Amino acid sequence: MASTFFGLTIAYSGLQAANTSLNVSGHNISNINTDGYTKQQAEKTAADAIRTYNTYGTLGGGVTVTQIKQLRDSYYDVKYRNNMANYGQFSVKQNYMSQIEDYLNEVNLKGYTAEYNNFFAAVNQLTLTPGDASAKNQLINNAKSMADYFNTLNNNLRNVQADANNEIKDAVQQINALAKNIAALNRQINQIEANAGNANDLRDKRNAMVDELSSIVNIDVTEIELGNNLTDYQVRVNGQTLVTSYGYNTLEVVAREDKRNASDAAGLYDIQWASGQVFDIYSDSLGGELKGLIDIRDGNNGTIEQLSGRKDLGGNEILETVAKNNENTYYKGVPYFQAQLNEYIQIFSDAVNQIMTGMSYNGDTGKYDKVNDTYTSDGLKKGIPLFSVHTEGMPMSANNITVNSELLENPELLAIKTSKSTGEADAQVMEQLVKLQTATIFDGGTSGYFLESIVSDMSIDAQKANNLHANYNNLKTSIHNQRLSIMGVDTDEEAMDLVKFQQAYNLNSKMMSVMNQIYDKLINQTGV
């Protein structure tokens, strides 16, 4: 049978429930601009009814707040994080490809095209005035300027590679820091929720960290119920465990002892698990900013640039690209463009040097045969190569090409003619050089065609990075808005809730006031 004062208990439960709901709404409103905050809601249920032993059976016991829960849909979390992995990857690629585009666009603007034209303008001038010392000096200086241009272009690309390498190290450090913090939050959340509470704000903090992690590397998350309100929260990176419950694994970077590609910057980092487990940086399923950085830094279209074992006319090692299936990324990053420039330099410098020395490469024997002698204008000395290398023993490349130091010191050593007995008007060597301008020695095309194809590859990939970055950015906005439609705090909804819970509080207060009058009449005025 209900107590005489049972109505007061019911009113009090209503007051408590309304007050709790008002506090939750206040918490929502105060965090309306907090990034990653999830709207909370007080869940209420009717209190257990009591038996009255009357004809009407039982009597309701008021209201009970069962929990304060978050309004969040894990489906949108998964969609958001999957998209963030793609967004992070192409955000990095857009940034770095725009830098590469700026450098290589110089080929068509005031860079290579100008240097190339200047070089052959000087060659043409020498066909007219082969004995002119100033014209010889101009040709040598223009050749040096062209070599310097490629040196600078290669250094710029190498700097891009080094920047990407440093960002890889930073990304690994971020992953480790986030893993440590997520594991710590797992412990705190379980400690709170084991005592029948919801650690909503800590869960928001953890979700924000997981969101941040998803842009760095692709992840998947599972939360396994263990009983007694305890869960095992697991985070995997590309299918490998990063966080499990209160423990976490860490990644580490290790500087390479040997270069993968001959033109790579020194000390590029490989990534491995601190436990010794393999971390495949070239996995097709890898994503996020880390994937983008690795593609930019190591991408050589599925090949590796290495020494071929052959030598050019100057005795310098020749580089070649070799297919390495599953050992490199198929993206066209810095190493790809370096290898293409190196191939151009090797072909062009060797072709010029063959003409300057009267040699010809024999494809059947793999050796250079003497075709004719070349001589200086006065016929006293034989011709020497125009192009050389900065560092002996290193391959001829965009980074290593320079002009023969003997010619820089004495332009009169420049080969001009093919017969020592002819006069200074003989310019057969220069005439052969002129033909080189339109020769199809670069994979069946001219030098201009070859470099245009490099720029075209770059432009296509840069545009693709821009388009995909824009697409994934739009998706990010769309999915984020979908998440906010559920988890976001809406000012209008909260304003309505405040009024609703205020009215509930006032009504329950009114009931207590009514019950007070009834008890006063019953206790103090009965029998008076």
Side-chain angles (χ1 to χ4, degrees):
M1 180 177 179
S3 166
T4 303
F5 300 97
F6 188 50
L8 200 60
T9 302
I10 293 174
Y12 178 71
S13 72
L15 273 177
Q16 289 287 85
N19 186 59
T20 300
S21 296
L22 281 169
N23 289 336
V24 171
S25 289
H27 185 54
N28 288 338
I29 292 168
S30 65
N31 285 282
I32 195 167
N33 293 318
T34 301
D35 290 337
Y37 178 78
T38 304
K39 178 178 178 177
Q40 298 179 15
Q41 185 179 74
E43 289 285 295
K44 297 177 282 291
T45 186
D48 293 339
I50 64 170
R51 295 177 64 182
T52 62
Y53 298 100
N54 286 310
T55 56
Y56 54 81
T58 59
L59 184 64
V63 65
T64 299
V65 177
T66 57
Q67 65 170 333
I68 298 174
K69 73 171 188 177
Q70 293 180 311
L71 300 182
R72 195 177 187 107
D73 191 335
S74 60
Y75 170 75
Y76 289 115
D77 286 339
V78 173
K79 285 185 63 177
Y80 181 81
R81 289 161 187 168
N82 288 342
N83 182 74
M84 283 302 294
N86 292 320
Y87 173 78
Q89 176 185 165
F90 287 100
S91 178
V92 165
K93 287 180 176 177
Q94 181 202 39
N95 175 38
Y96 279 101
M97 287 304 295
S98 67
Q99 295 181 46
I100 296 174
E101 187 174 29
D102 288 341
Y103 293 137
L104 290 182
N105 269 343
E106 290 293 303
V107 170
N108 290 331
L109 299 177
K110 57 185 178 181
Y112 170 75
T113 302
E115 299 292 349
Y116 186 77
N117 290 336
N118 289 340
F119 175 78
F120 279 101
V123 172
N124 281 311
Q125 181 60 42
L126 272 173
T127 63
L128 302 175
T129 58
D132 186 1
S134 63
K136 296 175 187 176
N137 190 58
Q138 186 66 50
L139 172 60
I140 293 169
N141 285 334
N142 286 353
K144 181 67 166 62
S145 180
M146 182 190 294
D148 290 344
Y149 165 75
F150 279 100
N151 294 166
T152 301
L153 182 55
N154 183 82
N155 287 335
N156 288 336
L157 290 175
R158 186 171 288 184
N159 288 337
V160 171
Q161 187 181 48
D163 289 343
N165 188 57
N166 290 331
E167 282 207 59
I168 287 173
K169 182 179 180 180
D170 292 340
V172 168
Q173 291 175 341
Q174 283 182 277
I175 291 171
N176 291 339
L178 288 169
K180 178 181 179 181
N181 291 334
I182 291 170
L185 283 170
N186 287 346
R187 182 182 296 275
Q188 295 177 51
I189 290 169
N190 272 350
Q191 286 174 343
I192 292 173
E193 296 187 346
N195 296 314
N198 285 336
N200 291 329
D201 293 329
L202 290 179
R203 282 182 171 271
D204 280 344
K205 190 174 181 180
R206 184 174 67 185
N207 280 318
M209 289 182 180
V210 173
D211 287 348
E212 182 182 353
L213 182 62
S214 69
S215 68
I216 302 173
V217 67
N218 59 306
I219 60 171
D220 56 274
V221 176
T222 56
E223 188 169 10
I224 303 171
E225 296 287 343
L226 300 177
N228 298 322
N229 292 328
L230 300 177
T231 63
D232 179 11
Y233 192 86
Q234 299 179 0
V235 180
R236 285 175 296 279
V237 170
N238 199 34
Q240 294 177 296
T241 299
L242 178 68
V243 177
T244 176
S245 193
Y246 311 147
Y248 63 96
N249 295 316
T250 57
L251 293 167
E252 59 184 15
V253 292
V254 180
R256 295 171 180 167
E257 295 182 1
D258 300 316
K259 296 180 179 180
R260 285 180 59 83
N261 294 286
S263 299
D264 282 348
L268 298 185
Y269 296 121
D270 278 322
I271 304 173
Q272 65 185 30
W273 290 101
S275 61
Q277 187 179 2
V278 175
F279 184 84
D280 185 6
I281 61 175
Y282 302 126
S283 168
D284 291 336
S285 58
L286 187 67
E289 294 173 11
L290 190 61
K291 169 66 172 176
L293 292 168
I294 289 169
D295 279 350
I296 291 294
R297 187 196 69 176
D298 292 346
N300 198 2
N301 200 27
T303 65
I304 290 179
E305 185 187 41
Q306 62 185 28
L307 296 175
S308 66
R310 297 180 289 111
K311 294 186 178 181
D312 62 15
L313 181 62
N316 306 300
E317 291 274 6
I318 294 177
L319 298 171
E320 65 178 0
T321 54
V322 179
K324 293 287 185 180
N325 295 331
N326 302 321
E327 294 183 35
N328 203 344
T329 171
Y330 284 85
Y331 192 77
K332 295 176 182 177
V334 170
Y336 172 79
F337 295 109
Q338 286 178 318
Q340 293 296 301
L341 293 176
N342 290 341
E343 182 180 353
Y344 173 82
I345 286 299
Q346 288 176 163
I347 294 173
F348 181 76
S349 64
D350 197 52
V352 170
N353 287 344
Q354 287 183 52
I355 293 172
M356 300 300 292
T357 58
M359 304 293 286
S360 177
Y361 180 72
N362 188 326
D364 294 331
T365 63
K367 296 181 180 180
Y368 291 87
D369 299 329
K370 192 71 173 178
V371 177
N372 56 261
D373 289 321
T374 59
Y375 298 93
T376 57
S377 294
D378 56 16
L380 298 178
K381 294 184 179 180
K382 290 187 176 182
I384 58 176
L386 175 60
F387 291 107
S388 182
V389 293
H390 285 290
T391 306
E392 293 294 335
M394 299 296 291
M396 173 69 77
S397 65
N399 181 60
N400 204 25
I401 187 173
T402 187
V403 169
N404 194 323
S405 59
E406 293 183 53
L407 292 173
L408 291 172
E409 294 174 3
N410 184 7
E412 291 297 333
L413 295 178
L414 186 71
I416 298 294
K417 57 187 181 179
T418 57
S419 175
K420 64 189 304 184
S421 60
T422 56
E424 287 191 351
D426 184 358
Q428 289 188 23
V429 172
M430 293 299 111
E431 290 169 359
Q432 291 179 44
L433 275 183
V434 170
K435 296 178 182 178
L436 190 61
Q437 190 170 11
T438 55
T440 56
I441 60 175
F442 299 90
D443 290 337
T446 64
S447 60
Y449 172 81
F450 185 85
L451 286 177
E452 284 174 8
S453 67
I454 299 175
V455 176
S456 176
D457 283 342
M458 173 273 301
S459 298
I460 291 171
D461 286 352
Q463 187 60 46
K464 179 180 178 181
N466 287 334
N467 292 340
L468 288 174
H469 174 262
N471 290 343
Y472 286 119
N473 185 45
N474 291 336
L475 279 173
K476 182 185 76 167
T477 302
S478 175
I479 297 171
H480 182 59
N481 289 337
Q482 290 174 337
R483 285 214 302 180
L484 287 179
S485 68
I486 297 173
M487 63 177 276
V489 179
D490 183 84
T491 53
D492 292 336
E493 287 182 2
E494 297 304 324
M496 291 172 61
D497 284 345
L498 284 177
V499 173
K500 179 173 65 176
F501 298 138
Q502 181 188 27
Q503 290 177 343
Y505 191 93
N506 291 340
L507 286 171
N508 282 285
S509 298
K510 180 66 175 176
M511 181 179 177
M512 292 191 76
S513 177
V514 170
M515 296 304 296
N516 181 56
Q517 294 176 24
I518 292 173
Y519 298 144
D520 179 66
K521 187 71 173 179
L522 175 66
I523 297 171
N524 297 323
Q525 299 183 37
T526 299
V528 175

